[in-house]
Amino acid sequence: MTRERRVALGCLMVLVLAAAVGAGGDPGIPLYEAARARYRALDADGPEARNPESWRAAARRFRRVADEAPRSAKADDALYMVGICRERAAALSAGPADRRAAVEAYDRLARAYRDSRLADDALFRAGRILEGAGDRAGARRFYERVLRDTPSGDMVGAARRRLRDLDRPTAVAGVRRWSGPRYTRVVVDLGHTVAYQVGELPADPNAKRPPRIFVDLRPARVGRGCERCVAVGDGLVRRVRVAQHDPDTVRVVLDLEEPADHRVFPLEGPARLVIDAFSSRSASEDVVARVLREGAAGRRPFRVVIDPGHGGKDPGALGPGGLKEKDVTLAIARELASLLREREGWEVRLTRDRDVYLSLEERTARANAFGADLFLSIHANASPSRRARGIETYYLSPSSDRAARRLAALENRGREEDLAEMEHILADVVLSAKVEDSRRLARAVQEALVDELARSVGPVRDLGVKQGPFYVLTGAVMPAVLVETSFITHPEESRRLRDPAFRKRVAQALAKGVEAFARGRGG
Ligand SMILES: [Zn+2]
């Protein structure tokens, strides 16, 4: 072939190739889209999502993309999703196989697709998985690869922090707790986040030991001034003990009155570990207890917890003229509570009814302890742009878009980077959240707000129902949403938020939304 012909042929092939790709010639894309659609269906909560085998099947569908179309533009996304799916399976199963498969997928992504925008996330997640499993040396190798192989990725800061803290013992500073009938939340305050393992021990009558839940934190030391034994005595948890189990490990033990279900998750900024214990008494006993408590003819009340965002030392977002989010949210919450209390058979509680600081974990602890049927956290939005305006409602999700993550970081009083670190952990918590009901509640509230306010005060911008990694929704066992009622940073909306008549209208609209939701579930 002459050089000219070769060049011409080369050009032709490039054109053909470009045309093929442009016309959907990437065989990976339809495979990926199909896998993605099945993943989304699985992600909506249901019995399928609680079966690790479903997640393994989802992982296989994504793996096909990378195996059959390794050059596809979606091959790296697919491998990332293999990792995510196997992590979801790992959260539901005991063995190490799922964790190992997730690490392998992330490792393969980072090796085969070095320039992928997901390479740093994949390496970081692999590190977190190994760290969680107690393999600090393995974790270190992955964190170091984040710095070396993806120096411009946005996980560099997080990887550097994990490397700094990996072998540095955390100080266990103390224990806080909240109780309700059949529910206890214990929060362990830490110097920084470290790996932890959760276990159960049955009652040991010979040694006069009750059933126990324990959490081993490693590397850790009992901090100076940390109470070693905290009496609880709420009928479920007898007491909490904190001890240096071995030179590297602090063990936190919950001595139980009876065997209990549990769930453990960490929060960042400041670092703490949340341990929820739920009475595992059977549902039939539950009915008996309820009849005894409320009378045979008594119907269980519909319980609502309204959470006015922020408070005390945390003013929330600030508007023009010194308007504080914490005051706006409290005023709306009070109005809403008094409206809902008029409904027969409804019990309504506020997480705070005055200007006081509450931690985010305390807010859901109160709702869980109360046995609430729904949890509504009220907020006012903020943006660096004075033009941002409108109403939006969120429910909990570990993965969300950039804007949602930014807002969540603001509401969590934490860093956006911490949320990236938290995502895989939140995935476990979301498994036990009422995702489908929360989405329905979010829609009901958002629709009512937009419709009512459009009628009574004029045009409002409907920013829609969204998902975000909000701490205040994390660990709620009932449908839970966070509503951003307006932008406190927008001149016109801020003026409205200051007006008692507008606050009342917002409360009326929220009441309609909550009632629509309750009707839908036969409440
Ligand atoms: Zn807020």
Side-chain angles (χ1 to χ4, degrees), residues 144-183:
E144 282 168 350
R145 280 170 66 190
V146 174
L147 304 189
R148 197 183 58 228
D149 299 347
T150 61
S152 54
D154 50 13
M155 295 313 285
V156 164
R160 202 168 276 142
R161 270 201 304 283
R162 291 318 308 151
L163 280 169
R164 183 195 64 199
D165 291 343
L166 203 51
D167 296 319
R168 199 159 64 97
T170 195
V172 176
V175 166
R176 294 173 286 138
R177 86 271 183 202
W178 295 272
S179 297
R182 307 154 50 92
Y183 168 75

Side-chain angles (χ1 to χ4, degrees), residues 309-310 316-317 325 329 378-381 410-411 482 484:
H310 313 278
E325 182 185 356
T329 60
I378 298 176
H379 290 257
N381 219 327
L410 205 67
E411 295 291 10
L482 179 148
E484 298 281 0

Side-chain angles (χ1 to χ4, degrees), residues 158-422:
R160 202 168 276 142
R161 270 201 304 283
R162 291 318 308 151
L163 280 169
R164 183 195 64 199
D165 291 343
L166 203 51
D167 296 319
R168 199 159 64 97
T170 195
V172 176
V175 166
R176 294 173 286 138
R177 86 271 183 202
W178 295 272
S179 297
R182 307 154 50 92
Y183 168 75
T184 309
R185 171 166 287 180
V186 173
V187 175
V188 184
D189 289 309
L190 304 172
H192 61 263
T193 304
V194 290
Y196 62 90
Q197 254 126 15
V198 187
E200 284 173 54
L201 292 165
D204 180 355
N206 292 332
K208 292 199 169 142
R209 297 271 198 195
R212 283 147 288 165
I213 298 168
F214 67 89
V215 179
D216 283 343
L217 292 143
R218 196 177 293 122
R221 305 253 187 288
V222 179
R224 222 175 294 139
C226 174
E227 224 178 322
R228 306 280 177 138
C229 183
V230 178
V232 179
D234 58 8
L236 181 59
V237 176
R238 196 175 294 172
R239 58 186 182 166
V240 181
R241 293 180 286 123
V242 180
Q244 195 74 46
H245 190 61
D246 64 42
D248 206 27
T249 310
V250 170
R251 176 168 285 190
V252 178
V253 183
L254 277 60
D255 285 332
L256 305 170
E257 299 292 352
E258 54 177 293
D261 298 326
H262 59 266
R263 178 187 56 189
V264 179
F265 59 92
L267 296 174
E268 290 277 354
R272 64 253 200 225
L273 194 68
V274 180
I275 307 169
D276 279 338
F278 305 90
S279 164
S280 43
R281 261 176 291 163
S282 71
S284 56
E285 282 173 300
D286 186 19
V287 171
V288 173
R290 189 184 303 161
V291 169
L292 286 175
R293 196 172 62 246
E294 290 159 10
R299 187 155 172 258
R300 187 187 180 286
F302 188 71
R303 298 200 172 111
V304 177
V305 167
I306 304 165
D307 174 46
H310 313 278
K313 67 182 181 186
D314 168 19
L318 301 176
L323 185 62
K324 296 187 182 89
E325 182 185 356
K326 66 173 182 178
D327 298 327
V328 173
T329 60
L330 182 58
I332 294 172
R334 279 181 176 152
E335 288 280 358
L336 176 58
S338 72
L339 286 171
L340 293 180
R341 278 181 183 134
E342 290 166 13
R343 307 297 184 273
E344 197 173 330
W346 286 45
E347 280 182 17
V348 183
R349 274 197 201 167
L350 296 170
T351 53
R352 66 178 179 98
D353 60 2
R354 60 204 163 87
D355 184 18
V356 61
Y357 175 79
L358 287 184
S359 65
L360 297 172
E361 63 270 26
E362 180 166 1
R363 296 169 191 261
T364 37
R366 289 183 176 199
N368 290 349
F370 181 46
D373 295 292
L374 72 83
F375 178 83
L376 178 66
S377 192
I378 298 176
H379 290 257
N381 219 327
S383 169
S385 159
R386 277 162 44 93
R387 278 183 302 178
R389 64 182 305 169
I391 298 165
E392 56 193 10
T393 305
Y394 284 88
Y395 61 97
L396 182 67
S397 166
S399 41
S400 44
D401 63 24
R402 202 65 204 265
R405 207 192 263 178
R406 199 172 306 131
L407 178 64
L410 205 67
E411 295 291 10
N412 295 347
R413 295 172 65 77
R415 287 172 300 201
E416 225 177 299
E417 292 170 23
D418 288 338
L419 282 178
E421 282 188 49
M422 290 283 305

